[in-house]
Amino acid sequence: MKKMVVVMVMMLVMVSEASMIEQTCKETPDFNLCVSLLDSDPRGSSADTSGLALILVDKIKGLATKTLNEINYLYKKRPELKQALDECSRRYKTILKADVPEAIEAISKGVPKFGEDGVIDAGVEAAVCEGEFKGKSPLTSLTKSMQKISNVTRAIVRMLL
Amino acid sequence: MASSDALLPISAREEDPLLSDGSRSDPNAETHRRRRPVKGLLAVSFGLLFIAFYVALIATRDGSTRSNVDDAEIKSDGTATATSRARLAGVSEKSNDQLWKLSGDRNTVAFSWNNSMLSWQRTAFHFQPEQNWMNDPNGPLFYKGWYHFFYQYNPNAAVWGDIVWGHAVSKDLIHWVHLPLAMVADQWYDANGVWTGSATFLEDGSIVMLYTGSTDKSVQVQNLAYPEDLNDPLLLKWVKYSGNPVLVPPPGILPKDFRDPTTAWKTSAGKWRITIGSKINRTGISLVYDTTDFKTYEKLDTLLHKVPNTGMWECVDFYPVSKTLVKGLDTSVNGPDVKHIVKASMDDTRIDHYAIGTYFDSNGTWIPDDPTIDVGISTSLRYDYGKFYASKTFYDQNKGRRILWGWIGESDSESADVQKGWSSLQGIPRTVVLDTKTGKNLVQWPVEEVKSLRLSSKKFDMEVGPGSLVHIDVGSAAQLDIEAEFEINKESLDKILGDASATVEAEEFSCQKSGGSTVRGALGPFGFSVLAHESLSEQTPVYFYVAKGKDSKLKTFFCTDSSRSSFANDVVKPVYGSSVPVLKGEKLTMRILVDHSIVEAFGQGGRTCITSRVYPTKAIYGAAKLFLFNNAIDATITASFNVWQMNSAFIHPYSEEAVRALSRT
């Protein structure tokens, strides 16, 4: 009897927490992306809104690092794109060195508007980088990803205002 | 989420109806025999019910959660669900959607900031630190001959973070000398940030500073600090009260919704009173505390004010204005000749709103004169219709004026801020008074001392026909002070007003939705185009747009259009502005301060103010020009104006010599 109650309570708890991610993600521009990013992260199941926002900022950080690695690889593979790659490198370094730390500090300390600025900027920097290639970008799927994650993260950060 | 309480009445039932057959054989023996089967059946039925509940929960989640969020909005404040969506969608200007559309376009010019363009952006006569990030103005005051200015500062980066108090002094609010940091994050109660605060003068002339600290656990608390040495006119060193924090978030207020204490004012009971902004759910509120010593406080049960659905109130400001006199009032002044202003910075929208109203000292409450434009409602009054936030006033006892400081952030990318090494400005300090002619709005004006920067001037008088553009040759055009008067010729006005078929445009018009200065109407737009390239490929028009309103009245709008201010694709380029009251017999007047990447426009003597940040790539250095334009379809305009070249304020880094030099002026 006791075991059954325990199991039921656990199920209730699990249902309510999965529901937290889903409830939050419903209020973002990309429900599926939002849920997949948060569900796949072990911290997601027990995070509050602030915690969910921080998980997504972490995803932004990871994606920026991945994109910078790709940029570095492209310098060798596509040397003719150097000028555009230089600009992209600068932009993505900003995401890592300025946007992400700003967002983490602001969200953790309860002044989310500065976090919103950092998160929006990550999308701006990605879009500028993409534009450097005048329609023939080798980074499109990565910059597009950043754009989308930025929009989703921004929506969650705004819930903290 | 449905509560499991709904199940309790069922699960609490000890008796299973299937088993109770009413038999009355030996109760003890029977119950003993029944216990195990009852338990088993109870467990099974409980389990089945639970599974049913679980399934129902999953099935209804899809449809119900969104409406639950919105229903909550409706319940708490009676407003429509659309607001919760708008809030989440964000009304912040920055958006990367537009940028994304451009990025795939083969014709987009791939753009890069170079150091020449970036270094031009730094202002000549606006307050800014030598480098890095600044935000809110803090604790402004006048003491022993010096105006003091403190500010939120990041010593380590050109973005927000690691916040401490910067400090600077000036004799005239224009020529500043930077001083060492006033306060750093060296206590547990401000380890995570030395945030915004305000100064109060005590009766004996001494100063107390209240400020928000973000503790080592990121709780927002209020702390007391005071000058170490009141004999030091520079107030270089500050001491934090050993008993800090003096205020912690009260019951019902979340630990991260409690910041930005105001200057205190005296109550008729002889106590000091302060107010601190916060929120309860989506209702913006202002808490009130009384104190005699700034160390212990009693929280009033009443709020100064609250407005539903406005979100968190940051940087609340509360002060008296004279109904009849054009002068400032000490924060403690009260009486029949006085109205009180409640101002708050809205976290949701980054807009500073204020309202005029009546203060009731007996219970520390305030009521707006016009509740339809209550503080924080989107249509309520703003100090500034452009980029202007976290503003704070102080009473300047030196010259008997109330002075307004406002934080002017960047509208560019953080990459550019990092590359150029700095971010943010303060607006030119403005005097603030009630508009004694309308009684319904404040009037702001750059402090007189800014005129000391005026160098050479040129005066112009000209008639400008419809569809004209005139180059105004003033030499260098990146540091200007322009004062202008405009008149629309009588025939055009009469024609429009007399024409019954001419549509009433004014009801629909707004600067933001108008499409900018290229969209021509009968009576406008007309004004100046600043920071304009001779090719006009980059330009920033500041203008009036006059439109026909109801009852044969004219309505005037004052706008700044930054949509073509720059080729850069990573800057925000809005059209800002608002309607501006124009009284009978008044000419249309505007003043514009141009200082590199900031343009401050004042319409009708400061009834409507617009601050813009612009980042031209070509209209810089010698290529920045000034034009006068009239895009009206029918009307001829007479313009009479002065243009001054503005000197640099030569803001100094801290040094003993600089301080001595300024003391002698």
Side-chain angles (χ1 to χ4, degrees):
Chain A
M1 179 66 182
K2 263 187 204 168
K3 270 190 202 166
M4 206 168 191
V5 171
V6 168
V7 167
M8 286 171 199
V9 168
M10 273 172 62
M11 282 166 75
L12 253 174
V13 164
M14 271 166 56
V15 164
S16 61
E17 280 167 348
S19 168
M20 164 72 175
I21 288 179
E22 294 197 8
Q23 264 190 337
T24 307
C25 289
K26 274 191 197 319
E27 305 290 338
T28 72
D30 194 333
F31 176 81
N32 291 326
L33 175 66
C34 178
V35 169
S36 71
L37 289 170
L38 293 172
D39 265 349
S40 65
D41 193 295
R43 298 164 288 180
S45 56
S46 55
D48 59 6
T49 310
S50 193
L52 293 177
L54 288 170
I55 291 171
L56 290 181
V57 170
D58 207 36
K59 302 295 177 196
I60 289 176
K61 182 178 177 186
L63 180 58
T65 306
K66 184 177 174 188
T67 311
L68 272 168
N69 290 337
E70 182 65 18
I71 290 169
N72 288 332
Y73 169 70
L74 284 169
Y75 272 118
K76 293 169 210 145
K77 192 169 179 231
R78 305 279 306 276
E80 75 277 12
L81 297 177
K82 183 182 189 305
Q83 205 180 339
L85 292 171
D86 280 347
E87 191 61 25
C88 282
S89 180
R90 176 196 296 284
R91 299 294 179 152
Y92 271 82
K93 280 179 184 159
T94 301
I95 297 176
L96 278 182
K97 292 186 183 162
D99 297 339
V100 166
E102 178 182 41
I104 292 172
E105 184 174 347
I107 293 165
S108 319
K109 294 181 182 179
V111 271
K113 68 174 181 290
F114 296 115
E116 184 183 9
D117 285 348
V119 163
I120 293 172
D121 191 68
V124 169
E125 307 294 0
V128 169
C129 163
E130 179 69 12
E132 291 292 312
F133 300 99
K134 303 190 208 195
K136 295 182 187 179
S137 166
L139 294 170
T140 304
S141 79
L142 288 167
T143 57
K144 208 165 194 170
S145 247
M146 183 62 84
Q147 159 90 352
K148 289 182 181 173
I149 298 178
S150 157
N151 284 342
V152 167
T153 311
R154 181 203 186 172
I156 297 182
V157 172
R158 283 199 66 79
M159 296 175 199
L160 299 168
L161 289 172
Chain B
M1 195 187 83
S3 146
S4 59
D5 287 351
L7 294 176
L8 287 176
I10 303 167
S11 61
R13 262 200 273 147
E14 285 300 312
E15 203 178 324
D16 188 306
L18 293 173
L19 287 175
S20 92
D21 55 4
S23 75
R24 306 251 186 284
S25 51
D26 173 23
N28 287 334
E30 295 280 43
T31 18
H32 194 71
R33 256 185 290 128
R34 269 183 209 156
R35 220 159 260 159
R36 250 182 261 144
V38 168
K39 254 198 190 169
L41 277 163
L42 178 66
V44 168
S45 53
F46 187 16
L48 283 169
L49 280 158
F50 190 88
I51 290 167
F53 159 66
Y54 186 81
V55 168
L57 188 71
I58 298 173
T60 56
R61 230 177 16 198
D62 281 353
S64 67
T65 48
R66 189 184 286 279
S67 59
N68 281 346
V69 170
D70 294 348
D71 285 346
E73 296 286 293
I74 292 171
K75 275 179 207 148
S76 66
D77 51 40
T79 51
T81 59
T83 24
S84 67
R85 297 269 162 85
R87 180 172 65 80
L88 294 171
V91 295
S92 172
E93 310 160 333
K94 281 189 181 182
S95 159
N96 49 29
D97 296 327
Q98 187 61 33
L99 193 51
W100 185 257
K101 283 184 206 134
L102 289 173
S103 67
D105 180 356
R106 242 158 264 185
N107 297 321
T108 307
V109 176
F111 177 77
S112 223
W113 289 105
N114 63 38
N115 288 330
S116 171
M117 293 169 187
L118 291 176
S119 56
W120 178 88
Q121 291 174 8
R122 215 172 151 83
T123 65
F125 57 89
H126 282 73
F127 183 86
Q128 55 182 124
E130 295 169 73
Q131 57 181 0
N132 293 339
W133 166 279
M134 164 174 66
N135 55 292
D136 305 4
N138 296 155
L141 59 95
F142 178 84
Y143 182 71
K144 285 198 192 309
W146 291 98
Y147 288 97
H148 286 259
F149 183 68
F150 304 89
Y151 55 97
Q152 297 283 277
Y153 178 63
N154 184 346
N156 302 320
V159 294
W160 181 88
D162 297 342
I163 296 293
V164 297
W165 272 39
H167 186 192
V169 288
S170 169
K171 287 284 187 180
D172 64 357
L173 292 167
I174 297 296
H175 296 88
W176 294 92
V177 176
H178 288 300
L179 296 181
L181 301 176
M183 292 197 285
V184 296
D186 57 4
Q187 302 297 322
W188 68 267
Y189 49 76
D190 58 20
N192 274 314
V194 189
W195 291 351
T196 292
S198 310
T200 305
F201 277 95
L202 304 184
E203 294 103 330
D204 61 3
S206 64
I207 297 164
V208 292
M209 195 74 82
L210 284 173
Y211 71 96
T212 299
S214 179
T215 68
D216 53 359
K217 304 264 190 300
S218 292
V219 176
Q220 294 170 11
V221 298
Q222 315 313 323
N223 301 312
L224 171 65
Y226 41 86
E228 182 182 88
D229 178 9
L230 281 167
N231 290 316
D232 171 19
L234 294 183
L235 300 177
L236 285 173
K237 296 218 188 299
W238 289 76
V239 172
K240 296 175 185 175
Y241 168 53
S242 57
N244 278 333
V246 294
L247 279 173
V248 298
I253 297 298
L254 294 174
K256 295 186 167 96
D257 293 340
F258 187 60
R259 55 187 182 269
D260 312 334
T262 62
T263 292
W265 63 94
K266 265 295 179 74
T267 65
S268 47
K271 294 188 184 169
W272 290 104
R273 181 168 284 169
I274 61 166
T275 188
I276 304 178
S278 183
K279 64 172 171 166
I280 294 178
N281 296 320
R282 301 304 309 156
T283 297
I285 67 172
S286 204
L287 303 159
V288 186
Y289 291 87
D290 281 1
T291 181
T292 51
D293 58 2
F294 290 87
K295 293 173 180 172
T296 56
Y297 294 77
E298 43 171 295
K299 178 174 163 296
L300 269 59
D301 290 330
T302 47
L303 298 171
L304 182 70
H305 196 52
K306 66 176 180 187
V307 181
N309 210 48
T310 51
M312 176 71 186
W313 284 13
E314 302 191 291
C315 302
V316 169
D317 199 3
F318 177 74
Y319 56 89
V321 288
S322 171
K323 279 157 67 172
T324 52
L325 302 170
V326 180
K327 66 189 282 276
L329 298 175
D330 180 279
T331 314
S332 294
V333 167
N334 201 357
D337 186 51
V338 152
K339 300 290 310 181
H340 276 82
I341 304 294
V342 168
K343 168 261 165 186
S345 293
M346 300 299 148
D347 203 13
D348 280 10
T349 58
R350 318 295 166 79
I351 295 174
D352 280 6
H353 285 283
Y354 73 88
I356 303 167
T358 306
Y359 168 60
F360 298 96
D361 186 70
S362 54
N363 65 354
T365 60
W366 171 94
I367 303 180
D369 286 350
D370 184 351
T372 64
I373 47 167
D374 206 347
V375 186
I377 292 177
S378 64
T379 48
S380 71
L381 295 168
R382 306 183 194 183
Y383 281 137
D384 192 292
Y385 290 83
K387 183 98 176 168
F388 191 90
Y389 193 67
S391 60
K392 184 181 289 299
T393 65
F394 75 103
Y395 176 62
D396 168 15
Q397 73 275 29
N398 182 38
K399 293 193 172 178
R401 18 173 216 188
R402 180 157 291 268
I403 301 205
L404 173 70
W405 282 97
W407 166 43
I408 320 296
E410 299 295 311
S411 298
D412 65 356
S413 68
E414 291 189 10
S415 258
D417 297 344
V418 168
Q419 197 175 341
K420 73 193 187 192
W422 62 271
S423 175
S424 296
L425 308 169
Q426 296 292 329
I428 289 292
R430 305 171 182 178
T431 53
V432 190
V433 290
L434 186 67
D435 188 344
T436 50
K437 292 176 188 155
T438 66
K440 293 188 175 180
N441 52 273
L442 295 172
V443 166
Q444 304 154 64
W445 197 246
V447 291
E448 281 295 295
E449 292 91 327
V450 78
K451 290 181 180 172
S452 70
L453 296 171
R454 289 175 170 174
L455 298 168
S456 57
S457 79
K458 281 190 175 179
K459 194 174 189 327
F460 302 85
D461 281 280
M462 49 181 77
E463 220 181 46
V464 190
S468 342
L469 182 73
V470 182
H471 173 228
I472 308 297
D473 190 358
V474 288
S476 177
Q479 293 169 212
L480 299 175
D481 187 356
I482 305 169
E483 284 194 319
E485 225 173 55
F486 294 92
E487 254 189 301
I488 304 177
N489 67 339
K490 196 172 181 302
E491 301 93 71
S492 314
L493 287 174
D494 289 342
K495 184 177 158 200
I496 275 291
L497 289 173
D499 184 355
S501 67
T503 46
V504 170
E505 230 196 319
E507 306 310 315
E508 307 281 302
F509 185 88
S510 80
C511 298
Q512 291 79 1
K513 290 185 233 155
S514 64
S517 59
T518 52
V519 178
R520 309 179 65 186
L523 302 173
F526 56 88
F528 292 95
S529 199
V530 304
L531 297 172
H533 192 259
E534 60 185 2
S535 65
L536 299 173
S537 54
E538 288 184 338
Q539 54 169 312
T540 303
V542 177
Y543 56 95
F544 286 112
Y545 187 89
V546 182
K548 184 175 182 179
K550 287 188 278 195
D551 319 316
S552 282
K553 285 195 178 141
L554 291 173
K555 198 169 175 187
T556 306
F557 297 85
F558 185 56
C559 321
T560 298
D561 175 5
S562 67
S563 63
R564 286 163 300 141
S565 57
S566 173
F567 275 118
N569 54 8
D570 61 346
V571 300
V572 177
K573 296 178 275 190
V575 181
Y576 292 125
S578 167
S579 61
V580 56
V582 178
L583 303 178
K584 197 168 177 186
E586 286 181 355
K587 290 191 184 166
L588 295 176
T589 65
M590 69 165 77
R591 184 173 180 187
I592 309 174
L593 290 172
V594 181
D595 187 4
H596 298 262
S597 60
I598 184 171
V599 177
E600 283 164 300
F602 300 86
Q604 229 44 29
R607 285 196 185 124
T608 295
C609 309
I610 310 171
T611 302
S612 316
R613 298 302 310 278
V614 290
Y615 307 94
T617 63
K618 294 171 79 176
I620 59 178
Y621 298 108
K625 311 249 178 250
L626 176 67
F627 288 85
L628 175 70
F629 75 95
N630 176 11
N631 269 357
I633 296 171
D634 296 321
T636 296
I637 308 295
T638 308
S640 175
F641 56 100
N642 272 302
V643 183
W644 288 268
Q645 288 290 336
M646 293 295 267
N647 201 0
S648 167
F650 301 111
I651 296 178
H652 279 289
Y654 176 63
S655 75
E656 293 275 349
E657 305 104 79
V659 167
R660 263 184 265 125
L662 278 187
S663 313
R664 278 185 241 119
T665 59

